[in-house]
Amino acid sequence: MKKVFCGIDLGGTTIDVGIIAEDGVILSTEKMPSFVERGVDDVVGRIVNAVLACGKSVGTAFSIAGAGIGVAGLVDNQNGVLREATNFPGWINVPLGAKLQDVLKVSVTVDNDANVAALGEYVFGAGRGYPYLMMVTLGTGVGAGLIINGEIYHGAYGAAGEFGHITIDKNGPLCACGRRGCVEAYVGTSGILRTVKERLPAFPKSRLAAVDVETVMPKDIYREAMAGDELARSVFFDVGDNLGYGLGNVVNLLNVQRIILGGGVAAAGDFIIKSAQKRLDMMSLNNSETPVKIVPAELAEKAGIFGAASLAMANL
Ligand SMILES: [Zn+2]
């Protein structure tokens, strides 16, 4: 029987399950709403059913050697416990790993979604061959996962990788975390919109002047940047530049080999990556012989299940 691995991506709105072979071929997938409000046991029950359905559809020539699950929140990966998560109100210290393991009868590894995405890119995506890397996911918040020596780096209490809250200006704008000048306060969605608002008076001819800046999304700004809008372009240039400052700090501290950029805003990659790369090159102290390259993520919406399956493989 051929060994395969199960990857589970547990999000606040959807759950994705996939069975993946060691060579990265997806054999079967299931997708369903999370219905978090129905409680832990209901959610676990539906994950189990999805895994069993996937297992059935790949047939008896394969056996599931292990499962991994990625979830947005603070995770005790040693014990497979979800400590707390914004998207899962009331879920405190949930032993997700043990609950799934009891029914599925395979070993289940639990980790934070940003760590899982980084591992997935390392094993199957844009990070292949780079055992020292950081993956940054741009969105409302700024998530990051560190791969050090080919493994997820958790830190002493599982809290490593808070790249979004590296301070790049102690007098900078207020961040969602309550402090000032964090990377996220510049490159997170609300930081981007704040910058647009601040600059509108200087660009009266911008097409963004006609939109409602309260509801405009980064993808709309991206569309205008593509169409040549000066304001939109200047905003993304600075998003990249500020991102580059943060990345420079990381590269100088950890000597990672590659930076992978994912998430919604990263769709504007061509604008952001160029200026981020330029700033990073200027920031890096030991960058002359082997420059650290910033590249877009490759696994896109499949990052969750690929990463979680990689977690199971790594655990074996
Ligand atoms: Zn912050």
Side-chain angles (χ1 to χ4, degrees):
M1 259 197 291
K2 206 175 159 198
K3 271 184 200 162
V4 292
F5 298 86
C6 177
I8 304 156
D9 182 11
L10 172 56
T13 50
T14 50
I15 301 169
D16 284 284
V17 174
I19 305 281
I20 294 176
E22 258 170 317
D23 56 5
V25 173
I26 299 180
L27 300 167
S28 172
T29 58
E30 287 275 335
K31 193 183 191 80
M32 77 207 97
S34 309
F35 297 133
V36 172
E37 68 284 358
R38 295 185 187 174
V40 177
D41 290 331
D42 180 89
V43 172
V44 167
R46 275 178 301 112
I47 292 175
V48 167
N49 288 341
V51 173
L52 296 178
C54 278
K56 207 170 169 188
S57 81
V58 299
T60 48
F62 301 95
S63 84
I64 298 176
I69 175 163
V71 54
L74 189 61
V75 172
D76 170 0
N77 69 297
Q78 294 287 325
N79 298 301
V81 173
L82 175 63
R83 288 197 177 286
E84 55 174 325
T86 330
N87 292 332
F88 303 87
W91 291 36
I92 305 288
N93 293 326
V94 175
L96 262 186
K99 277 180 181 288
L100 288 166
Q101 220 158 280
D102 282 349
V103 197
L104 295 173
K105 308 290 178 209
V106 292
S107 135
V108 178
T109 317
V110 187
D111 215 317
N112 163 272
D113 63 339
N115 290 341
V116 165
L119 185 66
E121 290 289 339
Y122 167 55
V123 177
F124 291 117
R128 268 169 300 185
Y130 298 93
Y132 295 83
L133 65 82
M134 181 167 74
M135 170 157 179
V136 177
T137 306
L138 300 180
T140 310
V142 176
L146 279 165
I147 301 297
I148 302 290
N149 198 19
E151 292 178 1
I152 294 171
Y153 179 74
H154 294 96
Y157 305 110
E162 286 294 350
F163 169 72
H165 303 286
I166 282 184
T167 305
I168 54 173
D169 179 359
K170 67 177 182 180
N171 299 316
L174 208 57
C175 178
C177 73
R179 295 175 301 129
R180 287 195 174 277
C182 299
V183 170
E184 185 174 301
Y186 295 92
V187 311
T189 302
S190 60
I192 295 176
L193 299 186
R194 187 198 61 246
T195 314
V196 170
K197 257 190 252 181
E198 281 168 5
R199 291 196 187 162
L200 266 175
F203 293 88
K205 284 186 191 145
S206 168
R207 299 216 337 189
L208 291 171
V211 304
D212 178 2
V213 283
E214 301 303 330
T215 57
V216 72
M217 291 302 289
K219 66 173 177 1
D220 305 316
I221 306 169
Y222 174 62
R223 197 185 50 235
E224 297 307 335
M226 286 293 282
D229 188 88
E230 295 276 337
L231 169 60
R233 288 190 174 202
S234 88
V235 168
F236 281 132
F237 177 88
D238 277 8
V239 166
D241 192 51
N242 285 313
L243 182 67
Y245 273 107
L247 296 177
N249 290 326
V250 171
V251 167
N252 287 340
L253 184 68
L254 295 175
N255 190 199
V256 293
Q257 301 161 291
R258 185 153 269 214
I259 303 289
I260 299 167
L261 210 55
V265 178
D270 23 347
F271 295 106
I272 294 174
I273 288 179
K274 233 184 190 170
S275 61
Q277 183 75 60
K278 201 170 164 194
R279 180 58 63 190
L280 173 59
D281 292 346
M282 287 157 78
M283 288 277 291
S284 303
L285 297 176
N286 293 305
N287 209 4
S288 50
E289 280 178 33
T290 46
V292 179
K293 230 177 138 187
I294 306 171
V295 297
E298 282 177 8
L299 302 176
E301 77 278 6
K302 294 279 189 288
I305 56 168
F306 269 115
S310 316
L311 205 57
M313 284 177 206
N315 187 42
L316 203 70

